[in-house]
Amino acid sequence: MKKNKRRIFLRGFVTLCMFMMVGCSSQTNEPAEQQKSAKPKMGGTITVAYPYEPDTLDGQKSAGTAEVYTWLLGGSLLYKDPATNEYKPSLASDYKISEDGKTLTFTIRSGITFHDGTPLTAKSFKETFDRARNPETKAMTVGELMAPVKSVKAPDDHTLVLELYEPNAAFLYTLGINSSQPLSLKAIEKAGEAYGRNPVGVGPWKFESWKTGEVTFVRNEAFHWGEPYYENQGPPRADKLVIKSIPDTNLRLSALESGAIDVATEVPVKEAKKFQNNPKYQVMERLRSGVGMLLEMNLRRPEFQDIKVRQALNMLVNKKAIIQAVMQGDAEVAQTPLSPATLGYDKSLEKYGYQYNVDEAKKLLDDAGWKVNGSGVREKDGKTLSLDLLSSSDIDKEAQLIQAMLGEAGIKITIQKLELATYLQEAVKGNFDLTLMSGAYDDPDILYFYFYSNGGYNMAGIKDDILDALLLKGRITIQIDARNQVYKDVQKRIAEQAYVVPIYFDKVFTVINSRVKGVKWTSIMPTYNDSWIEN
């Protein structure tokens, strides 16, 4: 049973991580130009372009691509305060955690209704969570996120009790994101199999229509339960919000310049820079949370079981050169896996990182017994240091640069460039010597998935009892300062053992037509509760 669950988890979590490169931070980021705007107005339509079309608008059954869309429909028990990183009540008015950390009790707010008029109660959450936990629902990622839950009880309309198998600090994050939003069982039963095209939530936007390449939402006039960080906690100011799926970046930007859309998301840094000094547009940028771009070494391979080889690779990668060539210099050098935008990052950890030093790297390889042969390739016991680097089109530039950098020290690299889906499948199976990987997540528990011995995303095959104990401790430590210290120790251990080569932390860019004011960044994409249109 456990084996099957883990296989489902791998499929769902890989999709989640790659999709969530969109970003999943609770930071609020609003351009200064917007803050100085005139008095907000009601009405009009805001049109947004995003690279992906949803597979379904049933958030529990989506493989990941619906997240941006279904998030607009819903809400969550908690929200993460962008100033303090604390989890505070949202659809709940209060909550408490038992002394042993296993029981979470929520008081559900009164006066909240679903878009179909159904009142939101504790029973609504029980029905939602039970549906996600039911194998028959085939709730991919959401089902796994609810895995820590042992039981769900709703003794009355306003009391929700979640019992966990064990204390889990990261579960608060789950309760603060779209994936755990309450669903109307009445609407699900009424729509049946068609619910994925007729979703109902409690959020600021109501679903109106979905035609190929375009989903339209209308203002929820009854909405009055926005989070405190919104200036406008009532109904959205715009009449409609339209999201168009335009996969091609050039087409998204052409649509922006022609006025066909107002907001272009997922804009590469090179293109975003073209709009930065143009008064017709605003550019929002933020550092991605989660795990930055990493060069992963497959520790199942004998070459990487020697720490000197792992340390050498860390010293051979010129991170600044990669950032300049790939990101136009607009990214941050990574010395640890965890992004500075994520709880648990500590700048002092940078001292444990490895500096670019080709000569020292060559010496380490020599000391490890890998000597340069007559062909200029390192060799040991008759075997050359020849490695395959698994790559895809999205990371091809990084792969080529790393090939050249490692080649400078006599390491022969062959790039295996695969289509994205195949690349992910091979990476998850461990069919690589080296690969590049990153993932966005707004909690340091992402390190558990990447570095725990049985972590669903531990493609490098790391097995470290000390690291395992720290990662488990991080999951059950509730107090923020204490949890920060645990993850500081986690990152220090990863750096000392040179398990991966952290390369960079990149930024995500959104370009907005200046006629649209009040756009903020609070979650997985810009949010439009405070937005309005200037004629």
Side-chain angles (χ1 to χ4, degrees), residues 136-370:
E136 293 182 6
T137 305
K138 297 180 181 179
M140 296 176 68
T141 301
V142 180
E144 289 299 331
L145 290 174
M146 297 303 296
V149 178
K150 183 178 181 181
S151 69
V152 185
K153 298 176 183 177
D156 57 59
D157 283 351
H158 298 290
T159 306
L160 176 71
V161 182
L162 302 180
E163 184 182 355
L164 309 183
Y165 288 102
E166 59 185 5
N168 190 321
F171 189 64
L172 294 180
Y173 166 75
T174 297
L175 298 178
I177 59 175
N178 163 75
S179 298
S180 62
Q181 69 170 281
L183 304 179
S184 168
L185 189 62
K186 176 183 175 182
I188 293 171
E189 291 175 342
K190 180 180 179 181
E193 291 297 319
Y195 177 75
R197 299 193 75 91
N198 296 276
V200 170
V202 298
W205 299 97
K206 296 171 63 173
F207 172 78
E208 182 180 72
S209 64
W210 177 9
K211 59 184 180 181
T212 302
E214 183 175 303
V215 178
T216 300
F217 302 91
V218 296
R219 176 172 57 222
N220 178 10
E221 298 288 357
F223 186 79
H224 60 269
W225 42 86
E227 278 82 8
Y229 51 74
Y230 287 122
E231 175 190 333
N232 168 37
Q233 295 178 32
R237 289 163 175 153
D239 294 328
K240 290 188 177 184
L241 180 64
V242 177
I243 301 185
K244 295 186 176 184
S245 56
I246 307 178
D248 185 87
T249 297
N250 292 329
L251 291 178
R252 285 202 304 282
L253 296 179
S254 294
L256 179 70
E257 291 177 309
S258 71
I261 64 170
D262 302 301
V263 181
T265 65
E266 286 296 292
V267 179
V269 58
K270 181 180 178 181
E271 303 301 329
K273 286 181 178 292
K274 298 176 182 178
F275 293 89
Q276 284 181 329
N277 296 316
N278 189 333
K280 294 181 180 179
Y281 304 97
Q282 306 148 22
V283 178
M284 296 178 71
E285 65 175 73
R286 58 184 282 283
L287 204 62
R288 294 188 196 271
S289 58
V291 168
M293 182 61 69
L294 308 176
L295 176 65
E296 295 205 11
M297 298 167 270
N298 192 338
L299 269 66
R300 304 172 191 86
R301 306 291 191 258
E303 298 91 335
F304 297 126
Q305 290 172 15
D306 188 334
I307 190 172
K308 291 180 180 178
V309 175
R310 302 199 300 268
Q311 290 172 331
L313 262 66
N314 269 271
M315 294 180 183
L316 286 171
V317 177
N318 187 339
K319 303 172 185 181
K320 291 182 179 179
I322 292 176
I323 289 172
Q324 190 59 47
V326 178
M327 297 291 173
Q328 305 278 297
D330 210 341
E332 294 187 16
V333 168
Q335 297 294 359
T336 79
L338 199 63
S339 164
T342 312
L343 175 73
Y345 177 84
D346 189 320
K347 190 173 178 60
S348 69
L349 292 165
E350 293 178 5
K351 66 184 177 185
Y352 297 106
Y354 298 86
Q355 302 303 314
Y356 177 58
N357 191 327
V358 177
D359 291 338
E360 182 62 25
K362 289 179 177 178
K363 183 177 183 301
L364 282 168
L365 291 170
D366 286 339
D367 292 345
W370 292 97

Side-chain angles (χ1 to χ4, degrees), residues 449-482:
F449 298 114
Y450 272 65
F451 296 98
Y452 186 68
S453 292
N454 293 318
Y457 222 39
N458 179 12
M459 296 175 296
I462 298 167
K463 294 187 181 298
D464 182 331
D465 291 343
I466 295 174
L467 186 56
D468 283 353
L470 287 169
L471 290 165
L472 288 173
K473 185 177 180 181
R475 298 197 113 190
I476 65 174
T477 302
I478 304 296
Q479 205 277 330
I480 290 180
D481 290 342

